[in-house]
DNA sequence: CGCTTTTGACCTGCGC
DNA sequence: GCGCAGGTCAAAAGCG
């Protein structure tokens, strides 16, 4: 597990104690000073966020029943570029607990990949942040988690440390 | 009982 | 228009 702790994501943390993180699941938590770092990572996205809110505001109070209404909204939202951030994580498990609560809403087989991709949505009301989790087929020790959108609410859980996992992460920002 | 997960169907964009 | 691939929906099943 420590074999690559150095060359991944240079998260400037004081304690890179590692150790844990070999068990059945990894805990990834963004609190306190870590929160600041996370927001720094999300810096590029704030422009998008405001324009996205604008679109959403058009539909505040609307009762959306019909399929055509739904698709109209979906189309409008699709026009707006949403921030996407992919984390590549070296891990045997693909359930990375980042402190938010997610509900799985889909799973798809990906081409040229024997592993499926999983789709999750943030369960917080009004927060439609999505993420998708995918495992590399050529290197099944690597999990790619792609976040889409920015959480509009504080973190929900506060468990243990963020550093352990973050020191092993590599960021691809786009 | 109220969530979450599963899973096939459906929708949409894109290349041909 | 057709087929494919990626993304989402939603009913049913599962679980604490």
């Amino acid at each position: 597990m420590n074999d690559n702790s150095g060359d991944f994501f240079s998260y400037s943390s004081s304690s890179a104690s590692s150790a844990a993180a070999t068990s059945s699941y990894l805990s990834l938590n963004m609190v306190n000073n870590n929160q600041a770092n996370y927001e720094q990572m999300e810096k590029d996205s704030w422009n998008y966020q405001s324009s996205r809110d604008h679109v959403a505001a058009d539909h505040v109070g609307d009762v959306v029943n019909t399929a055509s209404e739904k698709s109209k909204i979906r189309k409008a939202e699709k026009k707006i570029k949403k921030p996407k951030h992919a984390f590549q994580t070296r891990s045997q498990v693909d359930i990375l607990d980042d402190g938010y609560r997610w509900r799985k809403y889909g799973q798809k087989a990906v081409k040229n990949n024997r592993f499926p991709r999983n789709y999750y949505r943030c369960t917080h009301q009004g927060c439609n942040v999505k993420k998708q989790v995918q495992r590399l087929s050529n290197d099944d020790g690597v999990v790619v988690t792609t976040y889409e959108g920015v959480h509009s609410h504080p973190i929900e859980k506060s468990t243990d440390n963020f550093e352990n996992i973050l020191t092993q992460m590599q960021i691809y920002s786009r």
Side-chain angles (χ1 to χ4, degrees):
Chain A
M1 214 39 169
N2 319 334
D3 47 321
N4 43 29
S5 48
D7 32 31
F8 270 13
F9 178 35
S10 59
Y11 174 68
S12 57
S13 157
S14 47
S15 66
S17 52
S18 70
T22 42
S23 55
S24 57
Y25 96 119
L26 293 169
S27 183
L28 197 163
N29 204 8
M30 302 175 185
V31 286
N32 308 330
N33 53 327
N34 300 321
Q35 181 77 37
N37 277 278
Y38 182 67
E39 281 168 5
Q40 182 67 27
M41 279 149 35
E42 297 281 349
K43 203 176 74 179
D44 298 340
S45 42
W46 294 114
N47 303 339
Y48 298 134
Q49 177 67 15
S50 56
S51 49
R52 207 182 121 232
D53 286 347
H54 181 68
V55 168
D58 293 346
H59 301 281
V60 166
D62 285 8
V63 182
V64 184
N65 292 330
T66 67
S68 73
E69 273 298 315
K70 273 186 187 171
S71 79
K72 210 189 281 181
I73 292 175
R74 225 180 301 165
K75 237 179 228 172
E77 280 179 345
K78 211 159 193 189
K79 265 191 175 171
I80 312 296
K81 258 198 282 180
K82 280 194 195 167
K84 273 192 183 173
H85 298 283
F87 297 81
Q88 193 168 116
T89 308
R90 182 139 229 135
S91 164
Q92 289 309 118
V93 295
D94 36 14
I95 315 292
L96 304 177
D97 189 352
D98 49 17
Y100 291 98
R101 297 190 58 239
W102 302 95
R103 176 176 57 253
K104 185 174 183 174
Y105 68 89
Q107 169 173 304
K108 264 310 231 195
V110 237
K111 255 224 143 164
N112 304 321
N113 193 338
R114 53 209 162 99
F115 302 105
R117 176 184 296 151
N118 295 299
Y119 299 90
Y120 299 90
R121 204 189 288 276
C122 182
T123 59
H124 188 93
Q125 191 176 38
C127 177
N128 43 10
V129 173
K130 289 175 247 177
K131 79 170 176 182
Q132 43 182 260
V133 178
Q134 171 178 10
R135 194 173 278 280
L136 263 45
S137 64
N138 47 344
D139 184 357
D140 63 356
V142 174
V143 173
V144 181
T145 306
T146 306
Y147 289 87
E148 183 175 333
V150 179
H151 292 284
S152 58
H153 58 97
I155 201 156
E156 311 208 355
K157 260 166 60 177
S158 78
T159 38
D160 29 289
N161 54 340
F162 182 54
E163 278 102 329
N164 282 352
I165 177 130
L166 207 45
T167 49
Q168 300 174 62
M169 293 203 316
Q170 199 179 41
I171 297 179
Y172 290 82
S173 204
R174 58 163 271 137

